[in-house]
Amino acid sequence: MNKLAVVAVSLVAVGALSTAGAWYTGTQLPGVLNDLIEESNRQGAEALLGTGASFKLELVSLETRLFTSTARYKFSFDAPSEEGEARHMEVLLLDNIEHGPLPLSRLMRLNLWPVMVASNYQLEPNELTQKWFDAAKGAAPLTGQASLGYNGASRGSLVLTPLDFAPSPTSTVKFSGMTLDFEASKHAKEVQVSGTMDSLSITSTEDTPVQADLQGLTLTSDQRLGSADFYVGDSSIKLATAQIKVGDKPAVLIKDIAQVGSLQESGSMLNGQIGYDLGMVSYDGKDIGGLRTLWAIKNFDSTALQSLFKLYQDKLTPIQQAQALGEEAPQLDFSADEEARMKADLEKLLAGKPQLALDNFTLTTPHGQASLRVAVDMDKPESFELPPDELARQLIGKLDAKLTVAKAVIGDGVRIQAMVEGVTDAQAIEQQAAMMTEMGSGMALGTGLLTLKGETLQSTLHYADNKVTFNGQDMSVEEFVTLVMSKTGGMGGGLGDDASAYGDDAPQDLGGYDDGAETQAPDQAE
């Protein structure tokens, strides 16, 4: 047999297999779609528990042919309004489905990996979405493609079309468009999502003019379903810049906005952290400061947490739903069995010695930095029937906290206030900043709750085994409570005689540039 004959036979075989596969896919498609819709509705109901809102996906019609099918879906969303009446919204999708194992669109891209179906869907216009179509100049504002493998895995992308329109006579929207790529295993046990958006600009001239510009959005998520039905893995949402301008006020610019999270499973324990960052905030082109936060959990028993969440869903969801609909909420009652279950779950959770921590809270200004760290290790008490003070002692196994504030941060606060208030006299601002730095730090030291190391105010606290170490001094819990109450009680805030150390120079108003202040900028005087 010559090469031409081999090629011909191969093509006939592929064609026959493709035809048989397409016919088989057509017979299986209704059941596959119904399973996917049922799974989507289940996950949607879980996500909206307690909100009073409901979500439903329906297959409106399905036309099946040998190699292709056409499906139409309807998304319905109902949510309570402020008046307690439900709001109803519907969105329609048209889906052109190519049957596997070798859909034509994939063959044209030389993608020869067999799949069950290749889906090409787009939004259809209706009363709700017609303005969206008009903004996209008649094009479908939402399109996407996805493939479903014979193993139940799916992958594809969703595209939001660029828009440039005026939703009202006093507002405009310019949107660069957005693309989301996704992959998911069967039943979404493993899910990866990534997406990007270049820009979104919204302006409004109604009443007070407002302009908001967002640039450089990226998002990623790589997660899998853990042993206790928690999704574990990494996720992030980042925005390069956000600029907001209100009225004739200078613009506020925020750079490098980020939310980054990670949840991991070690045996039956969950460990995770989530951070929120503002790289730098600027006002009228001048840098004000940045903020970084990081929260963390360690040693949280996943099965105990899942059981507590299930109890939450069963008992609190009806109350939240009634409140969302403006109806009278049912009483929160626990049966003896439910109370025993909750107690057992809490004991199991605390037996793992879980830790909650604010690992990092750092404010950075042009001339200084302030930071706070707090970590609490919890423990299982002998009994939940103990007196409140003894129960608290046993619940907290260990606590560590540290606060540091550079004195320069106080001066930067004065400079920021002057900037916002429009004070322009540089010499007056610096005089006020220097005065308030010394007065503010002196008053803080006067409480006795902070110490000074170099040019930094700081305070440290350690608690364990019913003993406290505060700013390097050992004391009992009772002594620590007495100390704090004595320093913070009363109108003087614990300043005592220290306030008089400033004599006639003691500040009367720490927050502004009053008309009688010697350091007032000349152009602010009346």
Side-chain angles (χ1 to χ4, degrees):
M1 184 180 294
N2 60 35
K3 292 183 179 180
L4 182 61
V6 171
V7 172
V9 171
S10 298
L11 289 174
V12 170
V14 169
L17 290 173
S18 297
T19 301
W23 170 82
Y24 175 76
T25 296
T27 64
Q28 298 298 305
L29 189 58
V32 171
L33 291 180
N34 285 330
D35 289 344
L36 292 173
I37 289 171
E38 183 179 338
E39 179 69 15
S40 176
N41 286 330
R42 182 187 66 79
Q43 293 185 0
E46 291 180 356
L48 293 174
L49 271 175
T51 64
S54 63
F55 157 92
K56 186 178 181 181
L57 173 61
E58 300 174 76
L59 178 62
V60 177
S61 64
L62 177 64
E63 300 176 12
T64 302
R65 297 171 288 276
L66 178 58
F67 290 103
T68 62
S69 295
T70 301
R72 282 183 166 83
Y73 311 98
K74 179 172 71 175
F75 291 88
S76 301
F77 182 77
D78 292 278
S81 67
E82 294 181 357
E83 293 76 23
E85 297 180 359
R87 293 171 294 170
H88 181 73
M89 292 178 284
E90 292 183 357
V91 174
L92 304 176
L93 279 181
L94 172 66
D95 191 3
N96 294 307
I97 302 171
E98 301 174 80
H99 300 175
L102 297 173
L104 180 60
S105 63
R106 291 170 63 87
L107 281 175
M108 293 176 65
R109 298 194 302 269
L110 299 180
N111 190 338
L112 303 182
W113 187 263
V115 295
M116 187 172 186
V117 296
S119 168
N120 299 277
Y121 57 89
Q122 64 181 45
L123 191 69
E124 284 198 301
N126 65 2
E127 184 178 355
L128 178 65
T129 60
Q130 184 59 54
K131 288 186 177 180
W132 199 3
F133 274 82
D134 295 340
K137 307 298 188 282
L142 183 152
T143 62
Q145 62 83 24
S147 61
L148 178 66
Y150 287 99
N151 62 354
S154 60
R155 64 186 305 171
S157 62
L158 181 148
V159 178
L160 297 176
T161 304
L163 305 174
D164 186 350
F165 70 110
S168 73
T170 59
S171 61
T172 61
V173 174
K174 293 183 179 180
F175 176 50
S176 66
M178 184 172 183
T179 300
L180 288 173
D181 298 316
F182 63 87
E183 289 187 43
S185 63
K186 187 175 182 179
H187 301 310
K189 291 185 176 180
E190 297 180 358
V191 180
Q192 294 86 40
V193 179
S194 63
T196 59
M197 178 199 76
D198 288 336
S199 63
L200 172 63
S201 177
I202 302 173
T203 61
S204 174
T205 58
E206 186 175 358
D207 297 329
T208 302
V210 177
Q211 181 174 346
D213 294 293
L214 310 180
Q215 301 282 337
L217 175 70
T218 60
L219 61 90
T220 61
S221 178
D222 186 352
Q223 300 186 327
R224 63 176 180 82
L225 203 58
S227 60
D229 289 338
F230 286 104
Y231 275 100
V232 297
D234 303 321
S235 63
S236 71
I237 302 176
K238 298 180 180 180
L239 186 64
T241 63
Q243 181 168 285
I244 302 172
K245 191 176 188 306
V246 179
D248 58 357
K249 298 290 185 181
V252 175
L253 175 65
I254 309 174
K255 299 179 182 178
D256 299 326
I257 305 168
Q259 174 188 310
V260 179
S262 176
L263 184 64
Q264 306 299 330
E265 191 175 42
S266 177
S268 63
M269 296 298 181
L270 292 174
N271 304 297
Q273 57 185 22
I274 184 167
Y276 302 93
D277 296 343
L278 302 177
M280 180 56 69
V281 180
S282 302
Y283 181 79
D284 196 17
K286 301 178 181 66
D287 289 345
I288 293 176
L291 179 66
R292 171 162 292 183
T293 63
L294 183 64
W295 298 84
I297 64 169
K298 294 180 181 178
N299 300 327
F300 272 70
D301 188 280
S302 59
T303 56
L305 271 181
Q306 188 59 247
S307 180
L308 287 169
F309 283 156
K310 183 63 170 63
L311 185 61
Y312 162 82
Q313 292 175 352
D314 294 342
K315 305 302 294 186
L316 297 187
T317 295
I319 296 176
Q320 292 179 328
Q321 289 176 333
Q323 291 174 341
L325 293 171
E327 301 173 352
E328 183 177 354
Q331 293 293 321
L332 179 61
D333 295 321
F334 291 90
S335 67
D337 288 343
E338 289 170 336
E339 288 182 354
R341 169 188 161 188
M342 183 167 59
K343 180 181 176 181
D345 289 337
L346 286 172
E347 288 179 344
K348 185 176 182 181
L349 184 68
L350 293 170
K353 300 184 184 299
Q355 182 190 84
L356 286 169
L358 175 56
D359 265 351
N360 187 12
F361 183 94
T362 300
L363 173 66
T364 302
T365 65
H367 299 93
Q369 194 174 81
S371 65
L372 172 67
R373 183 185 184 277
V374 181
V376 180
D377 290 2
M378 306 186 72
D379 206 346
K380 186 177 77 170
E382 296 175 0
S383 169
F384 286 104
E385 308 302 324
L386 293 171
D389 57 341
E390 182 60 28
L391 180 60
R393 292 173 192 263
Q394 294 192 20
L395 277 172
I396 301 176
K398 186 173 72 171
L399 184 149
D400 281 293
K402 183 175 183 179
L403 170 68
T404 62
V405 181
K407 290 170 61 176
V409 171
I410 302 174
D412 282 336
V414 174
R415 296 181 184 94
I416 292 168
Q417 181 183 355
M419 185 190 309
V420 173
E421 293 181 354
V423 180
T424 58
D425 189 319
Q427 183 179 0
I429 294 172
E430 289 306 312
Q431 288 177 353
Q432 184 80 347
M435 181 182 70
M436 292 305 300
T437 295
E438 293 308 313
M439 288 186 177
S441 58
M443 293 174 68
L445 292 171
T447 65
L449 300 179
L450 289 93
T451 61
L452 184 64
K453 184 176 181 180
E455 292 297 306
T456 301
L457 301 166
Q458 64 179 25
S459 182
T460 60
L461 172 65
H462 172 77
Y463 166 80
D465 300 325
N466 203 29
K467 296 179 182 179
V468 173
T469 302
F470 181 60
N471 289 338
Q473 298 183 7
D474 295 332
M475 59 190 73
S476 67
V477 174
E478 291 79 7
E479 290 171 335
F480 172 71
V481 172
T482 301
L483 172 66
V484 173
M485 291 183 65
S486 68
K487 297 298 185 181
T488 59
M491 295 299 293
L495 288 175
D497 295 335
D498 293 317
S500 63
Y502 298 104
D504 296 335
D505 293 329
Q508 301 302 311
D509 182 359
L510 303 182
Y513 293 80
D514 58 62
D515 289 340
E518 292 182 45
T519 56
Q520 181 186 22
D523 61 354
Q524 299 297 306
E526 293 292 331

